[in-house]
Amino acid sequence: MTGRTVLILGAACGLLALVACTEKPQTGGGVRIDAPPYAGTGSNFTQPGWKAGDKTGWEQQLKARQQYGQNEYTRTTR
């Protein structure tokens, strides 16, 4: 191989490495922020007895979680 061929191959490999490290555009669906959190997600993994759209029940569940075990601060300070 000639020096010029090696230089071209090296430049091509460098360019390929730079192209491979670019970030892909983050477009498309994500979390819907226009709906309130208590509106539900349509998932089957919900607390038994809670119905989507029940704001009072949602707030009660958050209070219960905070008091009974899903508060990492109180779990680590014991």
Side-chain angles (χ1 to χ4, degrees):
M1 280 197 202
T2 64
R4 184 173 180 172
T5 307
V6 171
L7 182 63
I8 291 173
L9 284 175
C13 288
L15 183 63
L16 183 63
L18 287 175
V19 169
C21 294
T22 59
E23 184 175 344
K24 296 178 182 169
Q26 298 178 1
T27 59
V31 177
R32 286 183 42 193
I33 58 171
D34 60 338
Y38 57 83
T41 61
S43 173
N44 291 333
F45 301 104
T46 58
Q47 183 73 20
W50 180 77
K51 297 197 183 326
D54 182 13
K55 183 177 180 180
T56 306
W58 176 266
E59 291 171 350
Q60 289 174 352
Q61 286 296 322
L62 288 178
K63 287 179 185 176
R65 287 180 185 183
Q66 186 178 18
Q67 292 175 356
Y68 302 117
Q70 288 194 3
N71 186 348
E72 291 295 322
Y73 180 74
T74 58
R75 290 171 58 177
T76 58
T77 58
R78 290 182 191 175

